[in-house]
Amino acid sequence: MAANVFPFRDARAAPDPVLEAGPVAHGPLPAPLVLDNGSFQVRAGWVCPGPDPGPEPRLQFRAVCARGRGGARGGAGPQVGNALGSLEPLRWMLRSPFDRNVPVNLELQELLLDYSFQHLGVSSQGCVDHPIVLTEAVCNPLYSRQMMSELLFECYGIPKVAYGIDSLFSFYHNKPKNSMSSGLIVSSGYQCTHILPILEGRLDAKNCKRINLGGSQAAGYLQRLLQLKYPGHLAAITLSRMEEILHEHSYIAEDYVEELQKWRCPDYYENNVHKMQLPFSSKLLGSTLTSEEKQERRQQQLRRLQELNARRREEKLQLDQERLERLLYVQELLEDGQMDQFHKALIELNMDSPEELQSYIQKLSLAVEQAKQKILQAEVNLEVDVVDSKPETPDLEQLEPSLEDVESMNDLDPLFSEETPEVEKPVATVQPVFNLAAYHQLFVGTERIRAPEIIFQPSLIGEEQAGVAETLQYILDRYPKDVQEMLVQNVFLTGGNTMYPGMKARMEKELLEMRPFQSSFQVHLASNPVLDAWYGARDWALEHLDDDEAWVTRKEYEEKGGEYLKEHCASNVYVPIRLPKQASRSSEAQASSKGPGAGGSGAGEQA
């Protein structure tokens, strides 16, 4: 394979097996379930108490659903996650329970939970008897949490639930023991990018900021760039392939303008461009068969059609003969005087009179005779074709030219002197050189840095938002100098959209530009930006298995409502709903009775 040519993998998700719950789930106490409910991917698994907390989440699938149709994939039920296989044929049918990063469609969310519980082996006899740790969005709206709690407690009958923020779980999973618990979290996911200040182990929710850009917008931007560049491959430039380019071929430029200047150099471009090979058929557009092969193929097709027509004629002839025999049998009943049987048979044939029967017998007999003649004629023609196709030995005496013919040809030679050399020379058929493989290649050059750059420069796609660096500076300016110094000592990057090569170096460069001269700062990247949120939630569940101060029980849900939340180190800040106090009916009635009386006395005094 040529240098820098990469074929698209077009990975197809395999259906998830239905797993057994495992021995830990059947112990004296039901084991908790951890669900990292992300807008791109759902990760689910068991919490295993003991020295070995267990492997990575047992279940990982895309957070999308598609309503099935009758006969499609064996049924008409909805398909979820990895059961969909390839997403591109179903892209127009895909639905997600999320609006940005907030679940708003609880019907689709229920499908995701059903899929998770079913494939984790939860024996749901009317309820899910396991505590659940569930991730939610930063500053999650109370209505969304209320619907989620209602779904978990009323539909699944769980005993208790704990809510936490995915990026905070990741933060505490990567934090060394006995280390500082303050810092700045930069969490960039599929739909949003959040910057979260952490002060003394708790989220400062008042100074959190969100940028409505993530991996989804980067994939859409990359798709538009390549479709404009290659209008001949519009259908082949799919979102799934753009996500593959983002995950495996893109990087963050430390200095965007300087990197673009490098790409202007032809040598740099040739060495760093990635040629993405689209699938194509190896058959050429034009036919490479010779005239003899084409003639032979044409004759084979003709013979095949003749055999097919002959077979159809024979089948039709057989059916007509059987029907004719049936009609003749009915006519014999008439001749034998069996009138009852004759009338009954006539009704079965849907005929009204003997004359109609006789007319139909004549027509059918004529059709049978004509069909027999056509079959005989076709056999004769086939034999003639076979005989004619044999090579015949030419009569050499007849082919020898006479003396007069030779003299006349010699007289005509000067007239064709210019054309004769061209005819005598063997003409080499020169075909245009067309490399199909090269035609189906996408040259991904500056697009490798343009698409990920949108979280630093949203104006590239026309978004009137501040980038990550500007938002980070805005948040720091809201704190005193000493708190700023403390926060920048632990800038933590997490989320799937921070996995680009060069992300950490770019953040260090941005901080170097905005921080005072000779000041210090540290940037850390999560050990596994995608799965650390699930690992952190698992670690938190192990530490707080018996801590009632962190879990919302069913009794508390019924007393305080679905929006109720118990705060902990990785949770949102609970802000209860404050409804305006309504005046009592008695006071309203008293005020209304006083109104007209006061007005009447005033009018009397004036009078």
Side-chain angles (χ1 to χ4, degrees):
M1 183 176 288
N4 294 346
V5 177
F6 302 90
F8 281 108
R9 292 186 294 106
D10 288 338
R12 181 185 178 89
D16 292 309
V18 177
L19 306 172
E20 293 187 1
V24 65
H26 303 291
L29 294 175
L33 272 170
V34 174
L35 289 170
D36 182 8
N37 193 34
S39 59
F40 178 74
Q41 197 178 49
V42 177
R43 303 163 194 92
W46 297 100
V47 176
C48 306
D52 183 14
E56 62 183 21
R58 295 192 181 187
L59 198 61
Q60 300 181 51
F61 60 92
R62 286 290 294 267
V64 288
C65 315
R67 292 288 182 187
R69 293 178 293 180
R73 297 185 179 272
Q79 301 289 327
V80 178
N82 293 333
L84 294 168
S86 177
L87 297 183
E88 288 311 319
L90 304 170
R91 179 71 67 179
W92 63 279
M93 296 175 59
L94 295 181
R95 297 178 65 195
S96 171
F98 291 88
D99 180 9
R100 298 278 181 191
N101 60 334
V102 177
V104 294
N105 190 327
L106 267 293
E107 181 185 355
L108 300 178
Q109 182 65 56
E110 184 179 352
L111 292 178
L112 298 185
L113 293 176
D114 284 342
Y115 186 86
S116 302
F117 295 147
Q118 177 187 357
H119 288 78
L120 283 175
V122 176
S123 56
S124 299
Q125 299 297 331
C127 69
V128 177
D129 192 20
H130 297 272
I132 289 182
V133 182
L134 188 69
T135 60
E136 64 177 8
V138 181
C139 301
N140 192 32
L142 296 181
Y143 178 66
S144 176
R145 188 185 302 131
Q146 179 184 3
M147 290 193 299
M148 187 67 74
S149 296
E150 182 179 345
L151 178 65
L152 292 174
F153 284 110
E154 301 293 347
C155 180
Y156 296 103
I158 66 170
K160 56 184 179 180
V161 65
Y163 295 103
I165 301 172
D166 51 358
S167 51
L168 287 181
F169 280 135
S170 178
F171 179 73
Y172 285 104
H173 177 71
N174 286 271
K175 180 175 69 70
K177 292 184 177 180
N178 303 323
S179 66
M180 62 179 297
S181 56
S182 297
L184 271 173
I185 301 176
V186 179
S187 171
S188 187
Y190 188 59
Q191 293 285 357
C192 300
T193 298
H194 290 93
I195 300 179
L196 314 176
I198 308 297
L199 294 175
E200 301 299 333
R202 290 295 293 123
L203 173 69
D204 184 9
K206 292 183 179 179
N207 293 317
C208 293
K209 295 297 172 187
R210 181 181 76 175
I211 305 169
N212 290 325
L213 292 173
S216 174
Q217 288 73 24
Y221 180 47
L222 180 59
Q223 184 185 36
R224 291 199 301 272
L225 286 176
L226 291 180
Q227 283 181 341
L228 286 171
K229 190 174 180 180
Y230 297 98
H233 299 305
L234 285 178
I237 301 174
T238 62
L239 277 176
S240 298
R241 287 173 176 163
M242 297 306 99
E243 289 171 1
E244 182 180 333
I245 292 177
L246 282 176
H247 295 165
E248 300 180 10
H249 303 278
S250 298
Y251 66 97
I252 294 282
E254 186 172 348
D255 189 313
Y256 182 67
V257 177
E258 182 181 337
E259 191 73 16
L260 287 179
Q261 293 297 328
K262 290 181 182 178
W263 278 97
R264 296 182 65 181
C265 175
D267 293 337
Y268 186 88
Y269 179 88
E270 189 62 34
N271 294 332
N272 292 277
V273 68
H274 283 197
K275 302 170 185 176
M276 305 304 300
Q277 183 67 63
L278 291 169
F280 66 97
S281 175
S282 59
K283 295 181 180 179
L284 292 177
L285 299 177
S287 176
T288 57
L289 299 176
T290 62
S291 58
E292 292 81 4
E293 291 173 340
K294 288 180 181 179
Q295 185 67 22
E296 178 64 26
R297 180 169 294 184
R298 213 173 282 121
Q299 291 179 357
Q300 289 178 359
Q301 292 175 350
L302 182 61
R303 282 196 293 269
R304 199 176 298 119
L305 284 174
Q306 289 175 345
E307 293 172 0
L308 183 62
N309 289 333
R311 195 179 306 118
R312 287 178 178 173
R313 287 196 198 99
E314 291 175 357
E315 292 174 357
K316 188 175 182 302
L317 176 62
Q318 184 177 359
L319 291 175
D320 289 345
Q321 286 178 336
E322 292 176 358
R323 186 164 179 81
L324 182 60
E325 291 175 0
R326 170 68 176 162
L327 296 176
L328 292 173
Y329 171 74
V330 174
Q331 189 179 26
E332 289 177 1
L333 293 176
L334 176 64
E335 294 173 354
D336 295 343
Q338 302 178 8
M339 301 306 296
D340 293 339
Q341 296 182 7
F342 171 73
H343 287 299
K344 191 181 297 183
L346 208 62
I347 292 172
E348 291 178 358
L349 293 173
N350 198 16
M351 294 184 184
D352 298 330
S353 62
E355 291 77 11
E356 186 179 355
L357 174 65
Q358 186 64 32
S359 173
Y360 200 84
I361 289 176
Q362 292 177 358
K363 291 179 182 178
L364 201 56
S365 301
L366 183 61
V368 168
E369 290 298 326
Q370 289 178 353
K372 289 181 179 178
Q373 293 295 331
K374 285 183 180 179
I375 291 175
L376 290 175
Q377 186 65 31
E379 291 177 354
V380 171
N381 291 339
L382 189 61
E383 291 177 359
V384 170
D385 291 341
V386 172
V387 171
D388 290 345
S389 63
K390 292 181 180 179
E392 296 182 356
T393 306
D395 191 356
L396 296 179
E397 294 180 358
Q398 295 179 0
L399 295 178
E400 289 180 359
S402 62
L403 185 61
E404 296 177 357
D405 295 336
V406 173
E407 291 177 354
S408 62
M409 283 192 295
N410 291 335
D411 295 338
L412 293 174
D413 276 346
L415 298 175
F416 300 97
S417 58
E418 296 181 359
E419 285 83 355
T420 303
E422 294 183 3
V423 175
E424 291 178 353
K425 287 183 180 179
V427 180
T429 57
V430 179
Q431 296 184 352
V433 178
F434 182 72
N435 191 342
L436 263 178
Y439 175 73
H440 287 84
Q441 285 176 1
L442 307 179
F443 282 53
V444 185
T446 56
E447 294 85 5
R448 294 176 60 195
I449 61 173
R450 285 184 189 275
E453 183 68 19
I454 65 170
I455 62 171
F456 291 95
Q457 299 186 57
S459 59
L460 289 175
I461 58 173
E463 290 286 340
E464 295 182 354
Q465 300 183 54
V468 170
E470 297 169 80
T471 309
L472 198 65
Q473 178 70 63
Y474 177 79
I475 292 175
L476 288 175
D477 289 342
R478 298 171 70 91
Y479 293 102
K481 297 294 183 183
D482 55 338
V483 179
Q484 290 185 24
E485 188 66 29
M486 179 178 62
L487 289 175
V488 296
Q489 296 306 315
N490 188 14
V491 178
F492 178 70
L493 308 178
T494 186
N497 204 40
T498 63
M499 296 179 67
Y500 300 111
M503 182 69 180
K504 183 179 177 182
R506 176 63 176 270
M507 287 301 301
E508 289 174 344
K509 174 183 174 296
E510 298 288 352
L511 282 168
L512 185 64
E513 292 179 354
M514 72 176 68
R515 297 301 298 154
F517 179 62
Q518 290 187 342
S519 64
S520 62
F521 55 84
Q522 291 186 8
V523 179
H524 306 282
L525 181 65
S527 56
N528 190 336
V530 173
L531 295 180
D532 277 354
W534 187 89
Y535 290 137
R538 179 199 63 188
D539 298 343
W540 181 92
L542 286 173
E543 295 174 5
H544 298 81
L545 274 176
D546 302 322
D547 185 6
D548 294 336
E549 296 300 320
W551 301 84
V552 178
T553 63
R554 182 177 183 85
K555 183 179 179 182
E556 290 169 330
Y557 157 74
E558 293 173 349
E559 289 179 358
K560 302 180 180 180
E563 70 277 1
Y564 179 63
L565 170 72
K566 284 190 177 179
E567 296 184 14
H568 52 83
C569 60
S571 73
N572 276 303
V573 177
Y574 175 56
V575 181
I577 298 178
R578 292 184 176 88
L579 298 175
K581 293 183 179 180
Q582 297 180 355
S584 62
R585 294 183 178 180
S586 59
S587 60
E588 290 178 0
Q590 187 176 0
S592 61
S593 62
K594 285 181 180 179
S601 61
E605 288 174 0
Q606 289 179 1

